[in-house]
Amino acid sequence: MFLSVLSVADPSDEPSAPSLQDAQESATNAASWVEQNWSTWLSIGLRVLLIVVIAGVLRVMIRRAITKLIDRMNRTAQAVDGTALGGLLVNVERRRQRSQAIGSVLRSVASFLILGTAGLMILGTFQINLAPLLASAGVAGVAIGFGARNLVTDFLSGVFMILEDQYGVGDTVDAGVASGEVIEVGLRVTKLRGDNGEIWYVRNGEVKRIGNLSQGWATAGVDVTVRPDEDLDVVKAKILEVGETMSKEEPWNERLWGPIEVLGLDSVLLDSMVVRVSAKTMPGKALSVERELRWRIKKAFDAAGIQIVGGLPLQPDTEAPTGDPTAGMAPPSAYANTSSPQAQAATPLTPAPAASGSPNVAK
């Protein structure tokens, strides 16, 4: 009996190989399962393939449409560049960067929406419950939004700034935190070159207000200070003559968008009066117009004998007095002479010397 138990519990015995009947049964079961479910799997596969094909074709078509739209915008900007109409529009580099940024955003948004929708439809085809997945994605999005809120703020501000065309490459802007010429516009950071050549990196989310000095038109203002005895009619005539001559010469005929006007007297003082001159100019060209206008006004006034004053008040043009140079000096004081009676009376008395002997003191 002991031997029989050992023979049954012997671990060295190998399991018997499956018989031909068992293999035949397994194959029959598999064939029946495939026969029962092949239509379902084929339907699911065709749905997935159809979703993938439609999503791919739709994505390619939308991206090509966006690219063609951006290329058309660039060709339009290049066609008008260098003409009179081109001066009213933004330059080519600004349009190119703006169109590229808009195209990149639109292509990314389109790809995200199309591929995301296709992925959800594929998961729904496999009978997967999407409610927990969508809830988890919502929670993760909220967490990422709170953790990277500055990045999200910069990105959204950049997108709206580009879509609204608040400023672009070549514009001179005042962003509050920095000012200068825009050299690059991004979705998160804008680069400005300051007046001294420094480069400012301004986050789009930090810009609370923006002042664009290169859109629309600019105003050139010049203050001409002359003597109060000058003839105002002659001064005005000379300034208008300079403005008319300047508006007919290149390149000032394109930079001046209106006639040079004499607005009148800005201030009247005892030694000077200020005449205000103004002109509407091309955006960003006001400073050069002001410099040229001052140059021409100075030359015209010198030729006409009109003197420009400024700074310290004018000194009266009088000749040096002649005669005794000491006439205007005060007479010397009597106390300056030590031998004068006044000086002797003011001299303090000298104390008398002490006696050689001293009186006897009673004991």
Side-chain angles (χ1 to χ4, degrees):
M1 181 179 181
F2 179 73
L3 293 176
S4 62
V5 173
L6 290 178
S7 63
V8 173
D10 189 4
S12 62
D13 293 342
E14 296 180 357
S16 59
S19 62
L20 181 60
Q21 184 178 0
D22 295 336
Q24 185 177 1
E25 291 179 357
S26 299
T28 303
N29 294 333
S32 62
W33 183 85
V34 171
E35 184 179 359
Q36 294 175 0
N37 297 282
W38 72 271
S39 59
T40 303
W41 286 103
L42 180 60
S43 176
I44 293 175
L46 291 178
R47 289 180 184 177
V48 171
L49 181 60
L50 183 61
I51 291 173
V52 171
V53 171
I54 293 177
V57 173
L58 187 61
R59 179 173 179 269
V60 171
M61 291 177 59
I62 291 179
R63 290 176 65 91
R64 286 185 178 180
I66 294 173
T67 303
K68 289 183 179 180
L69 178 61
I70 299 305
D71 293 341
R72 183 176 299 178
M73 292 173 58
N74 291 334
R75 287 197 300 267
T76 304
Q78 293 176 1
V80 300
D81 185 56
T83 62
L85 180 61
L88 300 176
L89 301 177
V90 292
N91 54 41
V92 176
E93 180 64 19
R94 170 180 174 177
R95 291 291 296 269
R96 186 186 65 82
Q97 287 201 11
R98 179 172 177 262
S99 60
Q100 285 184 354
I102 294 176
S104 177
V105 171
L106 293 179
R107 283 190 291 266
S108 299
V109 171
S111 298
F112 176 77
L113 292 177
I114 294 173
L115 297 180
T117 304
L120 294 177
M121 292 177 66
I122 291 174
L123 293 178
T125 304
F126 286 101
Q127 303 298 327
I128 297 176
N129 189 10
L130 300 179
L133 181 62
L134 295 177
S136 302
V139 173
V142 172
I144 294 175
F146 275 106
R149 56 184 181 274
N150 291 333
L151 182 62
V152 175
T153 302
D154 297 339
F155 180 80
L156 293 179
S157 299
V159 170
F160 284 106
M161 179 270 299
I162 292 175
L163 292 178
E164 296 172 359
D165 193 21
Q166 297 178 6
Y167 55 85
V169 176
D171 288 351
T172 301
V173 299
D174 182 4
V177 294
S179 60
E181 181 182 356
V182 180
I183 60 176
E184 185 176 343
V185 178
L187 293 177
R188 193 182 68 87
V189 175
T190 298
K191 291 183 182 180
L192 303 178
R193 183 174 295 278
D195 297 335
N196 298 325
E198 69 277 8
I199 295 179
W200 298 97
Y201 295 85
V202 181
R203 288 170 42 196
N204 296 328
E206 292 183 350
V207 178
K208 304 302 180 183
R209 52 93 175 169
I210 193 75
N212 196 327
L213 307 179
S214 301
Q215 287 185 355
W217 48 269
T219 302
V222 176
D223 291 333
V224 182
T225 307
V226 296
R227 294 185 301 184
D229 55 351
E230 295 289 349
D231 190 351
L232 289 177
D233 295 332
V234 176
V235 172
K236 182 177 181 180
K238 284 296 178 182
I239 295 176
L240 293 178
E241 181 182 352
V242 169
E244 184 179 359
T245 304
M246 183 176 173
S247 61
K248 296 179 180 179
E249 298 179 0
E250 294 184 355
W252 311 111
N253 55 353
E254 294 184 357
R255 298 182 181 182
L256 286 171
W257 286 8
I260 296 178
E261 300 178 354
V262 179
L263 302 181
L265 286 177
D266 192 65
S267 64
V268 179
L269 303 177
L270 294 177
D271 54 356
S272 64
M273 56 183 178
V274 179
V275 180
R276 184 72 172 178
V277 183
S278 177
K280 185 180 293 186
T281 67
M282 181 186 297
K285 303 299 182 181
L287 186 59
S288 60
V289 172
E290 290 177 0
R291 292 171 177 172
E292 182 67 18
L293 190 58
R294 292 190 187 98
W295 181 283
R296 292 173 179 259
I297 290 176
K298 179 64 171 64
K299 293 179 64 176
F301 279 12
D302 291 343
I306 301 175
Q307 185 176 0
I308 297 179
V309 298
L312 296 176
L314 293 177
Q315 300 295 332
D317 192 8
T318 57
E319 298 180 356
T322 58
D324 188 6
T326 62
M329 299 177 60
S333 174
Y335 294 96
N337 188 7
T338 57
S339 61
S340 63
Q342 292 84 356
Q344 291 292 334
T347 301
L349 298 177
T350 304
S356 58
S358 57
N360 295 329
V361 179
K363 294 183 180 179

